[in-house]
Amino acid sequence: MAENKLLSLIVPVYNEEHVLSMFMKRVAEVLKTIPDIQAEYIFINDGSTDRTLENLIALKATYPQIKIIDFSRNFGKEAALTAGLQHAKGDITIPIDVDLQDPPELIAEMVVKWREGFDVVLAHRSNRDSDSFLKRFSAKWFYKLHNKISSPPMPDNVGDYRLMSRQVVDALNSLPESTRFMKGLFAWVGFKSTQIEYVREERAAGESKFNGWKLWNFALEGLTSFGTVPLRIWTYVGILVAGISFILTLKILIQVLFMGIDVPGYASLMVAVTFLGGLQLIGIGTLGEYLGRTYMESKNRPVFIIREIL
């Protein structure tokens, strides 16, 4: 008889009181169909202000495999994923959102691929019609830009929903940084991987906690976490602008000294000053993004604080 393997499901939650019971019922039905697999459910309550914690405690009476990690405040999804990975004891681990946009039925397919010898099984979104046009457009260009300037590349249209072997989870837990962009870290550790296709569903209940501003900051985090190309670009911008300025200087000198042409200065001077000032501010801002991350890492603060484990 085959030995049962333990599957750890990592489920970050923030104000998701309305969908918890639906999620547990659907996932439990899926796991019943997978042979030789036992499951633990690691819910990370990321500072919810509604009845999420109370509902989780009530569900634990029905599903004793539930473990609840209650944060002292909202630390964000990346911190919640980190906590889940650190507390996962399974032979395999799957992070999954509680809103049921990522169908739990894929878990069975992921386990089959893992048994074929893959350490990582990615869930690739073949269709994003459930997302808004702006979100689809920004996601497409984020992946294109990130993979041009950062290393290693991230698979496009792949979220946190994936299966990882124990070896992969141990590798992720060994990484020391406190400012964590998990999609990049998932790609960075490598290992033998494959992917399965799926169509993302609508949210079962509630609303997305990611607004445009949070997504923008999340994108900046990703673009500056795995490469220094944004910094290097400004070296070449400086060389280009200096070269153009030198050519224009020669042109003006020739016009004034040899051709007697008067060069009116106010408008052209203002354009040049404001243009160069704008470039300098953008360059300083890019430096600031990297310096800020270095500053936060130097504090060596914990990624999260746990109030209680239930």
Side-chain angles (χ1 to χ4, degrees):
M1 178 177 282
E3 179 185 357
N4 283 345
K5 298 295 184 180
L6 180 62
L7 163 64
S8 298
L9 283 177
I10 298 175
V11 193
V13 288
Y14 176 62
N15 291 346
E16 298 285 3
E17 61 179 346
H18 300 295
V19 76
L20 292 171
S21 59
M22 286 185 284
F23 171 84
M24 281 302 306
K25 182 178 180 180
R26 188 165 162 186
V27 171
E29 288 297 321
V30 170
L31 293 180
K32 287 179 184 177
T33 67
I34 307 175
D36 306 322
I37 289 290
Q38 294 179 335
E40 65 171 355
Y41 305 89
I42 304 175
F43 284 88
I44 303 93
N45 180 38
D46 190 19
S48 298
T49 56
D50 61 1
R51 293 186 55 81
T52 294
L53 181 59
E54 290 86 341
N55 290 357
L56 282 174
I57 293 172
L59 280 172
K60 189 174 172 65
T62 305
Y63 303 95
Q65 309 97 317
I66 288 178
K67 176 189 289 186
I68 305 167
I69 300 173
D70 186 28
F71 280 178
S72 62
R73 64 170 177 83
N74 178 252
F75 285 91
K77 188 178 181 183
E78 309 300 282
L81 287 171
T82 300
L85 289 169
Q86 290 181 5
H87 286 82
K89 298 178 181 178
D91 301 286
I92 51 178
T93 298
I94 299 178
I96 183 171
D97 289 342
V98 76
D99 57 21
L100 294 174
Q101 283 192 283
D102 299 326
E105 289 73 19
L106 289 183
I107 295 173
E109 296 181 51
M110 291 179 175
V111 171
V112 170
K113 292 293 184 181
W114 170 67
R115 285 174 169 157
E116 291 175 1
F118 292 99
D119 292 297
V120 179
V121 184
L122 306 172
H124 180 261
R125 302 167 188 169
S126 59
N127 187 305
R128 299 190 64 143
D129 287 346
S130 60
D131 293 334
S132 65
F133 169 78
L134 182 60
K135 191 170 182 178
R136 294 196 304 270
F137 178 82
S138 60
K140 175 184 175 181
W141 285 102
F142 168 75
Y143 284 113
K144 283 182 177 292
L145 181 58
H146 181 278
N147 291 340
K148 284 286 185 183
I149 68 175
S150 301
S151 179
M154 290 192 312
D156 64 334
N157 290 319
V158 172
D160 300 316
Y161 191 29
R162 64 189 68 209
L163 178 146
M164 295 172 286
S165 69
R166 182 74 251 170
Q167 191 176 8
V168 177
V169 173
D170 288 341
L172 288 165
N173 287 336
S174 71
L175 301 178
E177 59 254 55
S178 58
T179 305
R180 302 171 75 86
F181 178 66
M182 294 306 297
K183 289 184 179 64
L185 294 179
F186 289 149
W188 187 87
V189 296
F191 292 95
K192 185 180 180 182
S193 65
T194 186
Q195 65 182 32
I196 55 179
E197 303 290 326
Y198 79 105
V199 176
R200 202 161 196 235
E201 302 175 6
E202 298 284 348
R203 284 182 63 95
E207 297 179 353
S208 173
K209 309 307 183 293
F210 274 96
N211 55 34
W213 180 247
K214 287 183 178 179
L215 286 172
W216 168 253
N217 286 315
F218 187 63
L220 280 181
E221 188 72 48
L223 293 174
T224 56
S225 292
F226 289 87
T228 58
V229 172
L231 287 174
R232 193 175 300 126
I233 285 173
W234 291 102
T235 301
Y236 298 107
V237 170
I239 292 171
L240 176 64
V241 172
I244 293 172
S245 299
F246 181 72
I247 293 170
L248 288 176
T249 300
L250 288 178
K251 178 177 179 292
I252 291 171
L253 286 174
I254 291 170
Q255 286 178 328
V256 173
L257 297 178
F258 298 102
M259 301 175 66
I261 299 175
D262 184 26
V263 181
Y266 180 76
S268 59
L269 181 62
M270 287 301 297
V271 169
V273 168
T274 54
F275 173 69
L276 291 175
L279 285 180
Q280 289 171 344
L281 289 174
I282 295 172
I284 291 170
T286 305
L287 284 170
E289 288 290 333
Y290 281 89
L291 183 60
R293 280 152 181 73
T294 304
Y295 171 65
M296 295 306 296
E297 287 291 331
S298 70
K299 290 176 178 289
N300 201 28
R301 289 176 180 167
V303 180
F304 53 84
I305 296 174
I306 296 175
R307 189 183 73 85
E308 189 177 11
I309 297 179
L310 302 169

